[in-house]
Amino acid sequence: MGRGRAKAKQTKVARDLKYRTFDTDFGDLERELHGESGDPIPDQYADLVRSREDPAAS
């Protein structure tokens, strides 16, 4: 018992996803996937990035 409200919510979300139209910017998606965003890496993550790029550094 008590599943009616949850099922109604799931149905609403599923219907919204099914019929929603998406305006996809494929150029932006390609830049994100290839890592060509041009955004600088924050200082707090710079050491992590260096250790991932250079396996000999660890």
Side-chain angles (χ1 to χ4, degrees), residues 31-32 34-41:
R31 284 189 297 277
E32 182 178 343
H34 290 286
E36 300 171 6
S37 65
D39 295 334
I41 299 169

Side-chain angles (χ1 to χ4, degrees), residues 1 4 15 18 24 26 35-37 40-41 43 50 55-56:
M1 282 184 72
R15 193 171 291 133
K18 182 177 181 181
T24 304
F26 290 106
E36 300 171 6
S37 65
I41 299 169
D43 292 335
R50 280 194 291 273

Side-chain angles (χ1 to χ4, degrees), residues 2-55:
R3 186 165 183 263
R5 188 178 299 172
K7 187 171 191 281
K9 172 81 174 178
Q10 290 172 347
T11 303
K12 179 183 175 188
V13 170
R15 193 171 291 133
D16 182 43
L17 290 173
K18 182 177 181 181
Y19 295 112
R20 183 186 305 172
T21 58
F22 294 98
D23 294 330
T24 304
D25 182 0
F26 290 106
D28 189 35
L29 178 62
E30 181 181 11
R31 284 189 297 277
E32 182 178 343
L33 292 175
H34 290 286
E36 300 171 6
S37 65
D39 295 334
I41 299 169
D43 292 335
Q44 61 190 16
Y45 300 116
D47 293 334
L48 177 64
V49 171
R50 280 194 291 273
S51 67
R52 298 279 181 168
E53 289 175 348
D54 186 12

